[in-house]
Amino acid sequence: MKWTFVNNEFAEEGKDRIRTGDLALQRGYAVFDYFRTIHNKPLFLDDYLQRFFNSAAALFITVPHNPEAVKALIFQLIEKNHIPQSGIRMIATGGYAPDSYTPVEGNFILQQQPLQLPDTATFETGIKIITQEYQRDLPEVKSINYLMGIWLQKKVKEKQAADVLYFQNHIISEFPRANVFIVTPEGRLATPSRNLLQGITRKKVIELAGELLPVEERDVFLPELTHAAEVFMTSTTKRILPVTEVDGIRIGNGTAGPVTRKLYTRFLEMEATQV
Amino acid sequence: MKWTFVNNEFAEEGKDRIRTGDLALQRGYAVFDYFRTIHNKPLFLDDYLQRFFNSAAALFITVPHNPEAVKALIFQLIEKNHIPQSGIRMIATGGYAPDSYTPVEGNFILQQQPLQLPDTATFETGIKIITQEYQRDLPEVKSINYLMGIWLQKKVKEKQAADVLYFQNHIISEFPRANVFIVTPEGRLATPSRNLLQGITRKKVIELAGELLPVEERDVFLPELTHAAEVFMTSTTKRILPVTEVDGIRIGNGTAGPVTRKLYTRFLEMEATQV
């Protein structure tokens, strides 16, 4: 039996419903966040909670529970569902707006699903990506607006790629659901600094990398990608995943690079200390 | 008692629910359309239905009923609710996607609400607007993405305006929920031609205007706005509404202009022949 939390109560699967007048359904107006559990323990929960409440505030969305209450509900959900390796999604919507436009008190939802992370083989070969000129609206906010990300999936599949990296004015920013890093030919780690969602995994990787090599948060230009020694993405559901082909051009020797491997190992160690 | 239609059945108010796993809620991925009824009869329904199904196809969203079936459901809804002057919203979502990302068969919703159109006083004084550099994603598709439109409401209110007109590269496009027309000092009607949603009211106004003055669908530049003899917006919920102030600059003599009045009268006459 899988439980979801909706507003003030836990709902069994299939009974986790909200009314159709919500602004998320009518206007795509809602924020969310998404974190992992390992052995029934949430990973980096405080970071995710903080970002969730920041996103809500930025969109004038009222979350009907405070951060401490949300935290308590999350632990109850984990206890009820007992899905040791999972992803938990928190959503706060614009609510049942009488005028179908102006946010009111939001609906609040917690969902938990089993989560499978990329396997070793995927890490070794890495993934192919394409690039696309695009800039998300209000990129620092984790809104539910994935219109372009989802719409672009057709193009991604046609190109036999696994994901799409956004850029604008020749500067790369992010994937729809992940951040990007490059290792320069000079052995420096660089990651875009603006017009993107500040990923929690991104933040942890920057912390870890500081002990290994010089780290630069700065504008990263499109040509730097294909000339990089290594490229990888970071995200909650992928941890660290090598990118070995960009728009048909092989990166490095086409497999997971040494810096990516080292960071991945360090990240797994950091995870182990947390849970 | 107000009824909503959800997927395969009519639901009483409060029971019109969908599950929280829908892509509209998780990823803001859905299309919709919205038309009026007068004396319990839908206005220009075929135009709206066609646009709705075009939007769905453009986003790879499956509507679980064909256009004729949707039409029949709309007439049933009108009969059940008996709200003579109303707005009816059709929504088709990305559905309950197991991976929270890839559209599957969509949820389909019909909602009906009483609708109050602008009164004569509002028409006479017109409205104040501000302008904002912004371009909607996939503008020809009526998606539910109103993230920026709603987020900008705070700025609109601070400026004591009623709405915000988007432009990019000095070319105006549309309001979040309406189209824009100008009457040039030379007495020609002009309306932006690209990067916008093709409004049904816009289309009807272009048809009507052809008998009155030269009509141009073309790029309209920002400075043309403030130098226009008249400016007005068109939308389903506003019909034709004069814009009498743009970014603090008065348009014409600051009241509804003669061309706007004539088109408004003609539009009301056209409406009367339809219902």
Side-chain angles (χ1 to χ4, degrees), chain A residues 112-177:
Chain A
Q112 188 177 23
Q113 293 276 6
L115 180 67
Q116 194 64 49
L117 277 82
D119 57 17
T120 314
T122 307
F123 183 90
E124 287 302 325
T125 56
I127 59 162
K128 300 176 185 188
I129 66 163
I130 58 170
T131 59
Q132 170 74 37
E133 181 134 38
Y134 179 63
Q135 173 57 55
R136 287 196 308 113
D137 298 334
L138 306 176
E140 299 83 3
V141 175
K142 202 165 171 74
S143 81
I144 61 165
N145 175 21
Y146 283 75
L147 182 64
M148 284 302 286
I150 292 179
W151 184 76
L152 283 168
Q153 281 305 295
K154 187 165 181 277
K155 186 175 171 186
V156 168
K157 281 189 190 108
E158 279 167 6
K159 300 277 183 186
Q160 297 177 290
D163 214 334
V164 52
L165 179 66
Y166 298 143
F167 68 92
Q168 192 158 62
N169 302 326
H170 313 287
I171 298 169
I172 63 173
S173 57
E174 59 185 354
F175 297 92
R177 296 178 286 177

Side-chain angles (χ1 to χ4, degrees), chain B residues 154-224:
Chain B
K154 186 164 181 277
K155 187 176 171 185
V156 168
K157 282 191 190 109
E158 279 167 6
K159 300 277 183 184
Q160 296 176 292
D163 214 335
V164 53
L165 179 66
Y166 297 143
F167 67 93
Q168 191 157 62
N169 301 327
H170 313 288
I171 299 169
I172 62 173
S173 58
E174 59 184 355
F175 297 93
R177 296 178 287 176
N179 290 116
V180 64
F181 286 79
I182 67 166
V183 180
T184 68
E186 299 78 27
R188 306 172 77 86
L189 190 68
T191 190
S193 56
R194 53 183 178 139
N195 298 326
L196 50 86
L197 186 79
Q198 303 272 344
I200 306 303
T201 310
R202 173 184 181 277
K203 185 171 105 176
K204 304 299 176 187
V205 166
I206 290 171
E207 283 171 28
L208 292 172
E211 301 163 15
L212 297 175
L213 74 172
V215 182
E216 299 166 348
E217 294 182 64
R218 61 166 171 86
D219 289 347
V220 177
F221 290 84
L222 207 41
E224 293 188 75

